[in-house]
Amino acid sequence: MANEMWGGRFSTGPDALMEEINASIDFDKRLAVQDIAASKAHCEMLAARGIISEQDAARIIDGLSAIASEIESGAFTFSRALEDIHMNVEARLAELIGDAAGRLHTARSRNDQVATDFRLYVRDAIDHIRGQIRSLMLSLAEKAERFADVIMPGFTHLQVAQPVTFGHHLLAWVEMLARDDGRFADARERLNESPLGAAALAGTSFPIDREMTARALGFNGPMRNSLDAVSDRDFVLETLAAAAICATHLSRVAEELVIWTTPQFDFIRLSDKFTTGSSIMPQKRNPDAAELMRAKSGRVIGALVTLLVVMKGLPLAYAKDMQEDKEPAFEALDTLSLTLEVMRGMIADMEPNAQAMRAAAAAGFSTATDLADWLVRALGMPFRKAHHVTGRLVALAENRGCDLPDLTLDDMRSVEPAISEDVYSVLGVENSVASRASHGGTAPDNVRAMARDWIERLKSAA
Ligand code: ARG
């Protein structure tokens, strides 16, 4: 049987394999809510412009509402023969209200329809994900305030570098997430224009009102070029790019959690809710959730690459290739959303082991830079020379098998005779972090102020 939507010039229906590659209903049924909202806006505009009668419009709107309830309750039967969500809804509308249903598709095409639906869907997804990012940021900022004084090693090359505070480290994550939030906000702003009324590619000869449909759907206005309106998928690409960067951040955070929960580090304890045991080794507490978050970034990055490749050679305007935008986007946005939720749960329950962190921070000559800075400040030494002298003091301590603060004054003077007792005031890790009060530095007072600032900003925006 030829297709009932466009079968006029066809004598037979599609091959089963054609349906297999062509039908998108299995995944684009997720656009049902947006598809119905856009159809209602279009229908009301057609009636307002006198393109269809008020009676037909009323029947169409009632029919669409009935379909929305059927879909919500699970009573709707989706058909692969009807290809996609647009034709599934329209065919059901015809069953429910008869001939008037055929008037809904006046002055539009599935090309502007799908572009509109997907923009609405991605816009909702962005709003949801931004809410999740911000609640994760709030959890982190609250922890940062609570643990502003807890000292831990800061690393470069994963080698102990200088002492920092745990709160400072958590606030670094907050900054990363704040940029993610900003990228999603930017993508949302550019996305928020309506393709509806671009029709197949060239616009329409009907006297439609694109401002009206744009406003009804919460868009800032109609897109300016009909060819661009049906062929643009930048809004998905930008959202996936923001998602990929965010997932990369979460993966880096997850990696730190994995490292910190090893018995060798023992910096944090994750709650039982987010760890698993081993079926053979009873002593184990594995950070499976963190490992999975680290790995899930692959799917999100993969989705971005998939769609870039789909789009890269496409001539204007619409091509069916673009149907392949949905599955990767759904998967990426679902995955990111799950990851953000799990991360928030893990962070909320995470407890630092302050003793182990402090001990690790004090090891590995982590206050060597403080010593060099003291030589510059107290003795007027050029920094390069101070670096060299400090290097010799580190070597001496290493030889003695002790830490820098454990060297006697005589030991120190054997390397640099001008060193005085005052040097010890900069050598402990507490002194070290307290002294780093420069803008953005790790001093506990800085961290407390910054954490409070974030908490206020996030709470007042919520
Ligand atoms: N299911 C299609 C998609 O997702 C809708 C647009 C189809 N348009 C067409 N001319 N075949 O892209």
Side-chain angles (χ1 to χ4, degrees):
M1 191 188 68
N3 186 291
E4 61 186 278
M5 296 289 161
W6 36 257
R9 62 169 298 188
F10 288 73
S11 46
T12 60
D15 192 274
L17 273 173
M18 177 59 195
E19 191 174 290
E20 180 72 24
I21 193 170
N22 195 36
S24 54
I25 188 61
D26 292 343
F27 49 87
D28 69 18
K29 61 177 159 206
R30 287 182 64 168
L31 301 178
V33 172
Q34 292 78 11
D35 193 70
I36 289 170
S39 283
K40 283 184 171 174
H42 183 66
C43 172
E44 271 155 7
M45 181 278 293
L46 291 176
R49 301 291 293 163
I51 300 168
I52 64 173
S53 71
E54 292 290 349
Q55 294 95 303
D56 282 344
R59 268 181 229 124
I60 291 170
I61 299 287
D62 285 350
L64 288 171
S65 298
I67 293 170
S69 322
E70 289 179 2
I71 291 174
E72 221 200 300
S73 72
F76 191 93
T77 335
F78 293 99
S79 150
R80 288 184 119 203
L82 289 163
E83 229 183 285
D84 57 24
I85 184 65
H86 324 296
M87 300 210 287
N88 269 269
V89 169
E90 200 185 317
R92 179 69 184 138
L93 189 63
E95 283 172 13
L96 290 175
I97 69 167
D99 282 349
R103 299 196 186 275
L104 173 61
H105 212 54
T106 315
R108 81 171 183 190
S109 146
R110 278 189 293 155
N111 297 350
D112 58 338
Q113 206 181 343
V114 73
T116 305
D117 294 0
F118 205 28
R119 274 175 196 263
L120 293 173
Y121 181 92
V122 173
R123 192 176 71 185
D124 288 346
I126 288 176
D127 291 344
H128 179 69
I129 283 173
R130 288 191 64 202
Q132 291 186 300
I133 290 176
R134 297 167 76 84
S135 79
L136 175 56
M137 287 168 69
L138 183 59
S139 293
L140 287 166
E142 283 169 348
K143 276 245 142 82
E145 186 182 32
R146 205 168 121 212
F147 299 117
D149 290 298
V150 170
I151 293 173
M152 67 179 284
F155 300 90
T156 60
H157 313 268
L158 198 52
Q159 308 282 325
V160 172
Q162 294 173 356
V164 296
T165 60
F166 185 49
H168 197 53
H169 199 112
L170 297 177
L171 288 181
W173 294 346
V174 171
E175 296 290 335
M176 289 150 73
L177 290 163
R179 288 191 297 274
D180 291 324
D181 184 50
R183 269 182 285 273
F184 278 112
D186 290 348
R188 187 197 200 281
E189 183 55 27
R190 248 186 313 281
L191 159 161
N192 204 26
E193 293 186 329
S194 173
L196 194 58
L201 75 165
T204 174
S205 57
F206 290 98
I208 58 171
D209 183 348
R210 293 191 58 205
E211 280 288 347
M212 181 180 170
T213 46
R215 258 197 320 276
L217 295 170
F219 289 116
N220 295 331
M223 291 179 78
R224 282 171 297 273
N225 182 298
S226 61
L227 292 172
D228 181 51
V230 294
S231 62
D232 168 48
R233 292 295 181 272
D234 290 2
F235 67 98
V236 196
L237 288 171
E238 284 190 44
T239 303
L240 291 180
I245 298 173
C246 182
T248 301
H249 286 158
L250 296 173
S251 182
R252 294 180 69 180
V253 170
E255 167 65 1
E256 295 196 297
L257 299 180
V258 169
I259 294 173
W260 292 352
T261 51
T262 58
Q264 289 75 12
F265 270 78
D266 195 25
F267 280 7
I268 55 164
R269 187 175 172 87
L270 299 173
S271 79
D272 290 355
K273 287 191 261 171
F274 290 99
T275 42
T276 56
S278 157
S279 54
I280 177 166
M281 299 165 282
Q283 83 284 10
K284 297 263 283 185
R285 284 173 61 82
N286 295 328
D288 290 35
E291 294 168 280
L292 286 164
M293 288 193 284
R294 186 171 60 184
K296 294 276 186 200
S297 56
R299 292 179 190 242
V300 184
I301 296 164
L304 171 62
V305 175
T306 299
L307 189 58
L308 283 168
V309 175
V310 166
M311 295 306 293
K312 78 167 182 52
L314 288 188
L316 299 184
Y318 178 83
K320 196 63 173 258
D321 305 54
M322 280 187 261
Q323 178 165 287
E324 290 287 308
D325 58 356
K326 286 171 211 69
E327 283 171 293
F330 289 148
E331 169 160 46
L333 297 170
D334 289 349
T335 300
L336 181 61
S337 181
L338 173 65
T339 309
L340 284 163
E341 207 55 41
V342 172
M343 187 62 91
R344 208 193 50 76
M346 268 183 114
I347 296 289
D349 289 359
M350 168 183 82
E351 288 295 332
N353 178 355
Q355 261 180 336
M357 282 186 176
R358 195 198 173 284
F365 311 109
S366 67
T367 53
T369 316
D370 299 273
L371 176 51
D373 287 350
W374 182 88
L375 294 170
V376 170
R377 236 182 2 256
L379 306 185
M381 235 180 235
F383 183 77
R384 275 296 151 225
K385 172 149 192 240
H387 187 288
H388 183 75
V389 169
T390 306
R392 290 184 53 207
L393 287 165
V394 167
L396 182 64
E398 202 163 28
N399 244 318
R400 295 251 197 290
C402 69
D403 198 6
L404 284 172
D406 308 323
L407 288 174
T408 65
L409 194 54
D410 284 344
D411 283 340
M412 299 228 198
R413 284 182 171 155
S414 72
V415 174
E416 170 50 59
I419 293 179
S420 70
E421 190 69 41
D422 179 56
V423 73
Y424 290 100
S425 72
V426 302
L427 288 185
V429 287
E430 280 78 11
N431 294 327
S432 171
V433 294
S435 73
R436 289 198 159 70
S438 57
H439 186 96
T442 196
D445 287 346
N446 272 11
V447 171
R448 250 185 301 276
M450 193 51 77
R452 249 179 255 130
D453 186 60
W454 271 120
I455 291 167
E456 256 166 52
R457 274 202 270 168
L458 289 162
K459 282 193 168 157
S460 70

